[in-house]
Amino acid sequence: MALQLELHEVELPLEHPFTIARGTVTKQRSLIAELREEGQSGYGEAPATEYYGASVENVREALEGVRGLVDAQSLATVDPEALLPEWRAALPEDPFALCALDGAACDLWGKLRGEPVHRLWGLEPVDAPKSSYTIGIDTIPVMIDKLKERPDWPIYKIKLGTPRDIEIVETLRGHTDAAFRVDANCGWTADETVMHAPRLAELGVEFIEQPLAPGDEGQEQVFAECALPIIADENCVAEHDVETCAGRYHGVNIKLCKCGGPSIARRMALRAKELGLKVMVGCMTETSVGISAAAQVGPLTDYLDLDGAVLLAEDAANGVRVEQGNIVFPDLPGSGITLL
Ligand code: MG
């Protein structure tokens, strides 16, 4: 038996237009890779993400380019990490395509062996922390409405990078006792970050995600002087970035499609822990295909931000669910994914 690759394209409406420091989107396109072997199917996702130059079209083209390679391989006797070096060599510049492929391989691997992926990795669902729910940038009344629509989440991640950031957090604090995290998506300077942090800490903010642009030389100053921990996101993309974030950030936000899938994300989480970094696993706006893959790494993390499928008005799959922040693993093998 050998692997068979099939590609599915989806376009799903968002529940609300979603705005961060860089712009607004109203729908999400994704490419879902399906790998088949021995009558089982595994699924992995590459959500189109403009910031990282990933479109459904270029991910499809990249995966069509490795179809011959994949069709000659099998997961019957090896694990996905054994196939990864060849895939990485064939897709050196395309972590989103690699993510869809490795996500599908991990899901299929577990299904072929009748075990959840996290269990094959020796991880327990009970160790997964709760997920935050993300509130995108909008007018303050709309941001309050978004929070009120999801009242029972234990943690909210607030997108910032506006002229009224402190006012946003102060106002939202009036409506919930939940923990806050903030994500400036590269929208601040070093001085602004150091200046905002004490007030944000008073307002119950646990950490600041990626305040500065990746090349900003102020990161050393922020690391030394900031009153809150700083988590790298846009600065922690590929596997080797974990090393360079040590001593410059307090933690890293690993996302499957930035790094190339669940196998690499797991290695990054293990390496980050060795380096004393806090580990977060986040997501793009993606369906339960991508969320279910990311959740398998969840028990290795300190922080989770896996609300991607919750932000969609329609989903493409059943799998791991995120309910009021709780990561609910289905009692199913693989990553638990079935397409709708
Ligand atoms: Mg972020």
Side-chain angles (χ1 to χ4, degrees):
M1 290 293 283
L3 292 172
Q4 273 182 291
L5 176 66
E6 192 169 324
L7 303 175
H8 309 267
E9 200 176 313
V10 296
E11 180 177 305
L12 299 164
L14 301 190
E15 203 160 67
H16 298 286
F18 188 72
T19 301
I20 66 167
R22 281 187 287 273
T24 301
V25 290
T26 58
K27 58 188 188 215
Q28 179 63 43
R29 295 179 74 204
S30 251
L31 195 73
I32 293 173
E34 175 178 0
L35 282 176
R36 279 195 233 134
E37 188 165 5
E38 294 177 14
Q40 301 272 12
S41 284
Y43 304 96
E45 178 168 7
T49 307
E50 200 181 341
Y51 178 75
Y52 289 105
S55 67
V56 164
E57 290 73 21
N58 62 28
V59 171
R60 178 186 285 280
E61 192 183 325
L63 288 173
E64 290 296 350
V66 297
R67 183 183 288 282
L69 169 66
V70 172
D71 284 354
Q73 294 173 318
S74 166
L75 279 165
T77 58
V78 299
D79 65 23
E81 272 204 87
L83 305 183
L84 200 54
E86 275 189 274
W87 293 348
R88 255 183 149 172
L91 296 165
E93 305 293 335
D94 215 321
F96 280 70
L98 186 58
C99 174
L101 197 55
D102 183 53
C106 287
D107 186 31
L108 176 60
W109 172 56
K111 286 170 175 168
L112 289 170
R113 281 155 187 73
E115 294 276 4
V117 171
H118 57 80
R119 193 173 300 155
L120 290 168
W121 285 341
L123 304 176
E124 291 296 332
V126 69
D127 293 325
K130 290 181 193 295
S131 170
S132 50
Y133 178 77
T134 304
I135 299 185
I137 295 169
D138 214 312
T139 64
I140 292 179
V142 172
M143 291 178 82
I144 294 168
D145 286 346
K146 287 179 181 175
L147 186 141
K148 284 182 168 173
E149 271 176 34
R150 304 275 178 180
D152 299 323
W153 285 62
I155 312 153
Y156 295 93
K157 179 164 122 174
I158 305 164
K159 293 287 192 177
L160 298 178
T162 77
R164 53 186 198 288
D165 285 339
I166 296 296
E167 186 190 348
I168 287 171
V169 181
E170 284 175 340
T171 308
L172 292 177
R173 179 45 80 210
H175 294 271
T176 178
D177 293 326
F180 283 163
R181 297 164 183 172
V182 302
D183 185 354
N185 283 109
C186 315
W188 291 349
T189 65
D191 287 341
E192 282 173 324
T193 306
V194 171
M195 185 180 70
H196 286 331
R199 181 66 185 132
L200 293 174
E202 281 174 5
L203 291 166
V205 171
E206 295 179 323
F207 61 72
I208 301 169
E209 192 176 315
Q210 193 75 41
L212 309 189
D216 194 313
E217 289 174 3
Q219 182 55 36
E220 272 71 24
Q221 179 202 343
V222 167
F223 185 72
E225 297 176 16
C226 188
L228 281 171
I230 309 290
I231 307 291
D233 180 359
E234 286 85 345
N235 246 136
C236 184
V237 177
E239 187 167 11
H240 58 81
D241 290 331
V242 173
E243 308 285 335
T244 54
C245 286
R248 300 181 69 233
Y249 285 89
H250 302 90
V252 289
N253 182 358
I254 300 163
K255 294 179 187 166
L256 270 52
C257 51
K258 288 191 299 184
C259 70
S263 298
I264 295 173
R266 171 177 167 266
R267 293 204 303 238
M268 290 172 77
L270 292 169
R271 183 65 186 133
K273 285 160 86 85
E274 280 175 3
L275 292 166
L277 291 163
K278 293 285 188 190
V279 178
M280 174 172 179
V281 166
C283 61
M284 305 299 181
T285 304
E286 53 195 289
T287 75
S288 287
V289 173
I291 297 302
S292 301
Q296 306 306 313
V297 192
L300 283 172
T301 67
D302 301 288
Y303 312 118
L304 283 176
D305 181 32
L306 294 183
D307 62 350
V310 180
L311 299 170
L312 293 170
E314 291 169 36
D315 205 336
N318 286 322
V320 176
R321 297 192 318 281
V322 182
E323 294 179 347
Q324 282 83 45
N326 294 298
I327 311 299
V328 183
F329 289 84
D331 190 18
L332 291 170
S335 301
I337 301 163
T338 51
L339 279 200
L340 290 172

